Amino acid sequence: MQAIILAGGLGTRLSEETGTRPKPMVTVGGRPMLWHIMNIYASHGVRDFVIALGYRGEVVKEYLLNFKVMSSSFRVGTAEGSVEMLDESAVADWRVAAVDTGERTETGGRIKRAAAHVTDDLFLATYGDGVADVDISALIAYHRSHGKLATVTAVRPPARFGRLHLEGENGDMVTRFGEKPQSEEGWINGGFFVLDRKVLDYIRGDGDVFEREPLEAIAAEGQLMAYRHEGFWQPMDTLRERMLLEELWDSGKAPWKTW
């Protein structure tokens, strides 16, 4: 199967990092977020990608064009300009289409444009700014089992605030302080979609936000199913979240590192 990765947004909430590069090229552990996401898929045998480009798409193109050299050791002959690869085993064996989908195009429009480079009737899609330990193989199997047009991975949002337990006569005595359980946050869209090509019929054009009219219409027709993921999921919308991912990677126990 092929996977579409949306990599064209402006990333305004992470402006400290996205002034000169798109958010999927912001690094965690010295590697772009895009690399981490592609590795998640590749660990389940998905190695054919379509990257939907927009804002600063040339940064992604340059990275991909130099991927082999930047991913391994090499020896250069400066006089003749020769390059000898010394450790090609470190280079991922992926097939990647870098597709310009417009700088101002919304998520639905990007998916529709990118899908022109998808060869099968079934494909995967996700955002370029979040990682998870999602079992992609199980996700695909679940989609095939229900026969609907679309599957979205439902995740628990990270609990953002500490919870106060108040008691006492006036209800103003703090008896316990702790993190709010994620289970109380409900379920949200975590990306990692499986989509039938017929989904594209619900997207009118570049201005369609996929999560609004298209998905709402698909859901209203009973054609959208949720694959519940109880494990790790973390977006990178802010500098704080990027630092959290860096800390997890540096610890050597990054939950999304399934490869």
Side-chain angles (χ1 to χ4, degrees):
M1 293 182 69
Q2 290 171 275
I4 292 174
I5 302 177
L6 302 179
L10 295 175
T12 53
R13 285 184 291 178
L14 191 60
S15 57
E16 301 93 341
E17 298 283 349
T18 56
T20 58
R21 55 185 172 177
K23 190 158 52 165
M25 291 303 295
V26 174
T27 60
V28 173
R31 299 276 194 166
M33 195 68 159
L34 184 63
W35 177 87
H36 291 269
I37 296 167
M38 293 165 80
N39 267 296
I40 293 170
Y41 279 109
S43 68
H44 291 272
V46 179
R47 298 184 176 87
D48 196 334
F49 302 95
V50 181
I51 312 299
L53 304 177
Y55 170 70
R56 299 308 304 266
E58 71 278 2
V59 178
V60 179
K61 290 180 179 179
E62 184 178 8
Y63 172 72
L64 293 172
L65 286 172
N66 293 301
F67 188 87
K68 184 175 183 178
V69 171
M70 298 301 290
S71 300
S72 63
S73 301
F74 59 88
R75 179 183 291 111
V76 176
T78 56
E80 65 274 20
S82 62
V83 178
E84 176 190 355
M85 307 307 298
L86 301 178
D87 183 22
E88 293 192 51
S89 63
V91 182
D93 184 14
W94 299 336
R95 185 171 181 266
V96 188
V99 180
D100 289 310
T101 58
E103 187 162 318
R104 298 292 177 178
T105 303
E106 296 290 353
T107 50
R110 292 196 194 284
I111 289 174
K112 190 159 190 171
R113 287 199 186 199
H117 301 271
V118 172
T119 56
D120 295 332
D121 288 335
L122 204 64
F123 60 94
L124 304 160
T126 198
Y127 307 107
D129 61 355
V131 289
D133 57 354
V134 175
D135 186 335
I136 301 296
S137 300
L139 167 64
I140 295 170
Y142 173 74
H143 178 86
R144 294 188 187 280
S145 73
H146 62 63
K148 303 295 186 180
L149 292 184
T151 298
V152 58
T153 298
V155 300
R156 302 287 193 184
R160 295 181 58 197
F161 304 104
R163 183 177 184 179
L164 298 177
H165 297 264
L166 302 177
E167 295 181 12
E169 184 178 346
N170 298 315
D172 53 7
M173 177 182 291
V174 179
T175 59
R176 188 157 54 93
F177 181 88
E179 292 296 322
K180 184 177 181 181
Q182 280 187 280
S183 60
E184 294 186 13
E185 298 282 352
W187 296 94
I188 64 170
N189 165 23
F192 295 97
F193 296 93
V194 186
L195 304 174
D196 187 284
R197 182 171 290 277
K198 293 177 183 176
V199 163
L200 303 177
D201 296 336
Y202 293 80
I203 303 172
R204 295 165 299 181
D206 289 352
D208 271 8
V209 177
F210 185 59
E211 302 78 10
R212 294 179 186 168
E213 286 86 356
L215 275 187
E216 289 171 0
I218 294 167
E221 294 179 12
Q223 290 292 326
L224 177 63
M225 299 293 285
Y227 174 78
R228 298 191 184 199
H229 174 63
E230 294 276 9
F232 177 84
W233 175 84
Q234 178 62 57
M236 186 183 64
D237 286 330
T238 65
L239 185 60
R240 176 182 176 275
E241 289 171 339
R242 177 181 179 259
M243 298 308 297
L244 170 62
L245 292 172
E246 282 278 10
E247 290 172 7
L248 288 171
W249 185 264
D250 290 344
S251 74
K253 298 178 181 179
W256 69 92
K257 190 179 185 301
T258 56
W259 59 91

